Amino acid sequence: MKINLRQIEVFRAIMLARSISGAAKVLNVSQPAVSRLVAYTEQRLGIQLFERIKGRIYPTPEANRLFMEVDSLYQYVTRVNEVAEDLIHQRTAYLRVACSANLSQSLMPRAISAFARAHPDVQVVLRTMSPGALLQALLERQFEIGVAHMPIGHPNLRVHPLCETGWSVAIPRSHPLARRRKIQVQDLEGQKLIGYASDIPFAQSLRDVAERAGSLLRFSIEVQQAHVAWALAEEQTGIALVDTLTASRLAHPDVVVKPLATDVRVNVDAFHLLYEPLGRPAKDFLKTLKTLTP
């Protein structure tokens, strides 16, 4: 490296004080020591940083350009030190959580609300994404915790089972099936159904539902999120298959929710890296999730 952090510190002090003596006072060192370091820095960089005119120093255009970058770096280092102090004194903490879009409509608002009440000083960052993207984000350490229905695990992730949910059917109130107490899988054959794209784990779960019932479900419309399927049912577009956990948080006067007769369950789990310890906020958030799920 042509310039190190000490040289940067001295250079910045001179630029702010506009004198060698002022910089020496700020840094609590002798003036000759500052002068020697400036001369050495100029030699290492191969550029002149200051001009000496009648006993005073003036920064060159090169010095002014360099100062813009140095000051940005200094502000960043200052922020790092502030974060370190916050961690030492536990003044500020962060929690980064990712979840599937369906859970952002049901479980996660309740969990984050309860957590925020108990930990008002913790800044929470919540992002919704597809299970595949969530898995990659966890492995890349973008988040401490992920919450999703993700049937395919990963050897580097630890899994915390949270709950199971079944399937419900969101039916336009004017539809004949809306009068049934419970919907059989066979009742849905030939109906205009709203389901999920093949890359969504819910789609595999619905295939299991159909296979166990010896039936065939064909979807006229495929979406990626349960609340979008529900919104389409609100518009009388068709019958939406929605996990029961999400359905319990949605309501509309023109939509009737009926249970789907199946023993196929959807697992909801929390995930985090297996070989890295969780911080206190993440541990407490896991506890919160477990208290809210049976």
Side-chain angles (χ1 to χ4, degrees):
M1 293 177 61
K2 291 187 175 182
I3 185 168
N4 57 37
L5 290 177
R6 180 58 177 171
Q7 292 167 303
I8 288 173
E9 182 182 29
V10 170
F11 169 72
R12 182 176 183 273
I14 297 172
M15 292 293 292
L16 293 176
R18 294 292 172 171
S19 70
I20 296 292
S21 60
K25 289 179 181 179
V26 170
L27 299 171
N28 195 28
V29 296
S30 67
Q31 293 185 38
V34 173
S35 297
R36 285 195 299 272
L37 190 58
V38 170
Y40 178 72
T41 302
E42 290 178 325
Q43 179 185 358
R44 290 286 295 169
L45 291 175
I47 58 175
Q48 184 178 1
L49 296 175
F50 301 99
E51 289 188 9
R52 285 77 174 170
I53 303 175
K54 296 182 179 181
R56 295 180 60 86
I57 62 168
Y58 296 88
T60 63
E62 291 81 3
N64 287 321
R65 175 67 183 88
L66 183 63
F67 179 70
M68 295 172 60
E69 300 301 323
V70 164
D71 197 52
S72 296
L73 175 62
Y74 186 85
Q75 297 301 326
Y76 179 78
V77 172
T78 300
R79 178 57 186 154
V80 169
N81 286 326
E82 289 174 353
V83 171
E85 285 293 316
D86 288 341
L87 292 173
I88 292 170
H89 299 289
Q90 298 184 354
R91 289 194 293 258
T92 306
Y94 301 87
L95 174 66
R96 297 170 300 172
V97 183
C99 72
S100 59
N102 294 346
L103 294 175
S104 70
Q105 302 286 317
S106 53
L107 174 62
M108 296 306 288
R110 291 189 294 127
I112 289 178
S113 178
F115 178 82
R117 287 194 298 270
H119 303 79
D121 295 329
V122 177
Q123 180 181 346
V124 180
V125 176
L126 175 66
R127 296 289 184 268
T128 60
M129 54 186 63
S130 68
L134 187 152
L135 172 62
Q136 189 63 34
L138 285 174
L139 295 174
E140 292 176 355
R141 297 170 176 80
Q142 297 179 32
F143 301 93
E144 284 84 45
I145 294 177
V147 185
H149 166 59
M150 193 155 51
I152 301 176
H154 191 280
N156 290 340
L157 293 181
R158 182 177 177 184
V159 181
H160 295 265
L162 296 178
C163 64
E164 290 184 339
T165 181
W167 283 101
S168 296
V169 185
I171 309 171
R173 188 174 293 277
S174 60
H175 196 283
L177 289 178
R179 295 189 289 271
R180 301 279 184 91
R181 291 184 58 188
K182 182 179 288 189
I183 305 299
Q184 303 293 327
V185 177
Q186 290 80 3
D187 296 334
L188 299 177
E189 292 183 359
Q191 300 291 338
K192 189 171 185 178
L193 301 180
I194 304 165
Y196 301 93
S198 59
D199 61 334
I200 303 300
F202 278 170
Q204 179 59 54
S205 180
L206 287 175
R207 285 194 290 270
D208 294 341
V209 167
E211 287 177 5
R212 292 199 186 188
S215 185
L216 181 63
L217 298 181
R218 296 186 180 277
F219 299 111
S220 301
I221 300 174
E222 290 185 353
V223 299
Q224 291 187 310
Q225 301 165 357
H227 65 274
V228 176
W230 178 282
L232 288 169
E234 289 180 1
E235 296 297 326
Q236 316 293 306
T237 309
I239 297 173
L241 290 139
V242 182
D243 66 284
T244 303
L245 192 62
T246 301
S248 66
R249 303 287 292 182
L250 300 174
H252 192 277
D254 295 328
V255 175
V256 175
V257 179
K258 301 291 180 178
L260 182 64
T262 177
D263 58 355
V264 174
R265 310 295 291 174
V266 176
N267 297 319
V268 177
D269 304 309
F271 305 84
H272 62 81
L273 286 174
L274 180 61
Y275 299 110
E276 292 191 12
L278 288 176
R280 178 58 61 84
K283 289 180 180 178
D284 289 348
F285 186 71
L286 272 178
K287 292 178 182 177
T288 300
L289 283 170
K290 292 176 180 179
T291 61
L292 294 177
T293 52

